[in-house]
Amino acid sequence: MGNEIVTKSDMRIIAARSQTQDAFEAVGIIRDSHHPALAGVCFLDDKEVAERLKVTRRTVQNYRDRGILSYYMICGKCLYPEHEIQQMLDENFHPAYYD
């Protein structure tokens, strides 16, 4: 292997860039799905709750104002216990029935 010029079109570079991109995407998925736990409780912000409930952030605020959702207010930021959101969904689930 002498003095070889490696360019961006070299298959090794293309493969390395592809692997790097895959790694960045995997880290992004992990980052987006990670909810730090405090005392064993994971929290969601209003955007994450809205996505999970398939409603707008304004609707999440209405649910909070009406006492439907439990939350913590810390320095102006609302945090919702993830397990309570799931519990609310479970309690309000109505299975389909067939005649």
Side-chain angles (χ1 to χ4, degrees), residues 5-64:
I5 297 176
V6 179
T7 65
K8 66 181 178 182
S9 60
D10 188 287
M11 290 307 294
R12 294 172 290 184
I13 299 299
I14 293 170
R17 290 182 74 196
S18 177
Q19 290 173 344
T20 302
Q21 184 63 35
D22 292 345
F24 277 123
E25 290 174 8
V27 168
I29 291 168
I30 292 168
R31 181 196 63 228
D32 294 343
S33 64
H34 176 72
H35 304 286
L38 180 62
V41 178
C42 294
F43 294 94
L44 303 172
D45 64 15
D46 59 333
K47 182 179 177 186
E48 294 167 322
V49 172
E51 289 171 359
R52 183 157 307 175
L53 298 179
K54 307 288 191 253
V55 297
T56 65
R57 292 169 79 177
R58 177 64 185 160
T59 300
V60 172
Q61 181 181 343
N62 286 338
Y63 290 170
R64 186 178 69 234

